[in-house]
Amino acid sequence: GRFLAKKLYEDCFDALEKKAVLEHLCVNMEKYMVHMYATDIIEHIYLKGNSETKKKIFESTFGAKLKFIKEAKDIEEDDIEKIFEDYPLIKEQIMERLRKQIDVFISKGLIRLSFVQRIVLFYVKNATQEGLEKVLEEGHKNYLALLESRDGLCAACILFTAANSKLRKHMVKQLRTETENLVDNMLSSHLGTVFLLKVLLTMDDTKVSSKIVLDRVIQLFPDVATTQVGSRMLAALCSNHIPRYFNANDQEILASNKYTTSKKEERVRREEVLEYLFDGIRKQLSQLIEENLDSKPFCTCLLYTSPSPRD
């Protein structure tokens, strides 16, 4: 049924019929957005829709109270934060509603969906520390599903920053299991390398983060250092200067420290991670330089990662 519904919406309905379907979904969003098959249709419409469609789906998850206030006060669609500022009690009620919805999304495995990830991002950006801790109780087990979109990446980084040391270890250990090493795929992905960099620069227990992330970086160093995404991650890790091919969104994600539980200074964590990295690549570095001087990503990486003269 859901495949037929998506096909009808995409290829058979005209603009008025699509609008009617969207209105029906939004009015009944509370029921549909926790249903396995209905969410598949919502996700399809969300991904295919324009910005107005996406905003309508997103705002429909907030419930009737927000819609009532906006209509009564004639408030523009982009002013949700302003509503929260003017009506703190409404904010508290809506945030609690969203948190319970996120718990359902996590339990049903729906956290992978793009429209859900936008909801999660909105929540973690506006939540209190207590609210983040409640989401992390179950969310730390499934957070990797967030790394499918930029909204999800940002949400995952905020959650990782707010997690305590015990949860952070559990979250990092999920990157490498007995059957799968997720670090390999992440090292060739834009979103993946940003998250790995966030882990390395945020986690106080650098022994754990280095063993799980950098051991694989060292093993794959020739491949990592000669690709743009890999060399960018290494360059940013080794220098306070962010290379120019980090965009503004990446920089905002990396700089965010909302409710951080880290105790060490970032400088100390960076030095510990770099010492581990250089000990691992020192023997292969000379040969790599000779073989890859014609590689722009490698030379950029080398420019930022060159150790001190004594090394």
Side-chain angles (χ1 to χ4, degrees):
R2 71 184 189 275
F3 297 115
L4 178 60
K6 288 191 291 186
K7 192 69 176 173
L8 284 169
Y9 183 86
E10 190 64 30
D11 297 329
C12 301
F13 290 170
D14 60 26
L16 287 177
E17 290 170 326
K18 288 183 177 181
K19 184 178 180 180
V21 171
L22 181 61
E23 289 291 340
H24 176 76
L25 285 175
C26 291
V27 168
N28 296 278
M29 184 61 72
E30 187 170 1
K31 176 176 68 174
Y32 287 146
M33 70 179 177
V34 293
H35 189 284
M36 289 289 292
Y37 296 151
T39 52
D40 193 27
I41 299 170
I42 296 171
E43 176 77 350
H44 178 79
I45 296 174
Y46 181 84
L47 292 176
K48 295 286 186 180
N50 56 27
S51 58
E52 184 179 348
T53 298
K54 290 180 178 179
K55 187 181 297 183
K56 197 171 185 65
I57 291 174
F58 169 66
E59 290 199 348
S60 67
T61 64
F62 285 74
K65 284 188 177 181
L66 180 65
K67 182 180 179 181
F68 174 78
I69 290 176
K70 287 179 65 175
E71 290 177 350
K73 300 295 182 180
D74 194 25
I75 298 173
E76 293 295 327
E77 290 185 350
D78 292 329
D79 290 342
I80 297 178
E81 286 79 7
K82 183 70 166 57
I83 296 174
F84 281 3
E85 183 180 327
D86 294 341
Y87 302 90
L89 182 59
I90 296 298
K91 174 183 178 180
E92 184 179 336
Q93 293 171 347
I94 290 177
M95 291 296 286
E96 180 62 17
R97 170 192 168 91
L98 290 179
R99 186 191 64 76
K100 291 178 179 179
Q101 287 174 346
I102 290 171
D103 287 343
V104 175
F105 291 145
I106 293 171
S107 66
K108 289 181 175 288
L110 302 174
I111 206 76
R112 70 189 189 283
L113 301 175
S114 298
F115 83 93
V116 171
Q117 293 182 1
R118 182 170 177 180
I119 297 168
V120 175
L121 176 58
F122 179 88
Y123 179 84
V124 299
K125 276 188 169 182
N126 292 278
T128 61
Q129 186 168 10
E130 181 183 3
L132 291 175
E133 289 171 354
K134 287 181 179 178
V135 170
L136 279 164
E137 288 176 6
E138 291 299 322
H140 77 278
K141 302 173 185 176
N142 309 83
Y143 81 100
L144 288 174
L146 290 169
L147 301 179
E148 297 293 327
S149 70
R150 181 166 292 282
D151 285 347
L153 167 67
C154 189
C157 288
I158 293 173
L159 289 171
F160 186 83
T161 301
N164 60 38
S165 58
K166 183 178 180 180
L167 287 182
R168 282 183 180 178
K169 285 183 182 179
H170 190 278
M171 293 168 80
V172 170
K173 286 179 179 179
Q174 291 178 55
L175 297 174
R176 189 179 70 185
T177 65
E178 293 181 359
T179 58
E180 188 176 18
N181 193 331
L182 298 178
V183 175
D184 289 14
N185 292 332
M186 295 174 76
L187 286 171
S188 59
S189 156
H190 176 89
L191 300 181
T193 51
V194 173
F195 182 74
L196 292 178
L197 183 59
K198 183 68 173 178
V199 168
L200 292 169
L201 294 179
T202 302
M203 190 167 178
D204 282 343
D205 192 341
T206 54
K207 289 184 178 179
V208 172
S209 60
S210 296
K211 186 171 183 180
I212 290 177
V213 178
L214 290 184
D215 273 2
R216 201 60 186 147
V217 172
I218 291 167
Q219 293 172 16
L220 301 173
F221 189 77
D223 296 326
V224 175
T226 52
T227 62
Q228 183 168 323
V229 290
S231 63
R232 176 194 59 196
M233 185 191 80
L234 292 172
L237 178 64
C238 298
S239 172
N240 286 320
H241 174 70
I242 301 295
R244 58 184 170 81
Y245 33 77
F246 267 102
N247 60 41
N249 289 327
D250 295 334
Q251 294 182 39
E252 181 182 355
I253 290 170
L254 293 171
S256 174
N257 285 307
K258 182 179 181 180
Y259 300 129
T260 182
T261 59
S262 300
K263 306 298 182 185
K264 292 180 181 178
E265 294 181 14
E266 182 180 312
R267 174 186 57 81
V268 176
R269 292 193 297 271
R270 190 188 296 269
E271 288 175 355
E272 292 175 354
V273 167
L274 288 180
E275 183 178 358
Y276 191 99
L277 175 64
F278 285 129
D279 283 347
I281 67 172
R282 199 182 304 273
K283 292 181 181 179
Q284 49 182 321
L285 198 54
S286 297
Q287 182 179 353
L288 282 170
I289 292 173
E290 291 180 8
E291 294 176 352
N292 294 285
L293 279 178
D294 59 342
S295 167
K296 185 176 180 180
F298 180 81
C299 290
T300 303
C301 176
L302 189 65
L303 175 65
Y304 287 101
T305 59
S306 296
S308 62
R310 64 182 175 81
D311 292 327

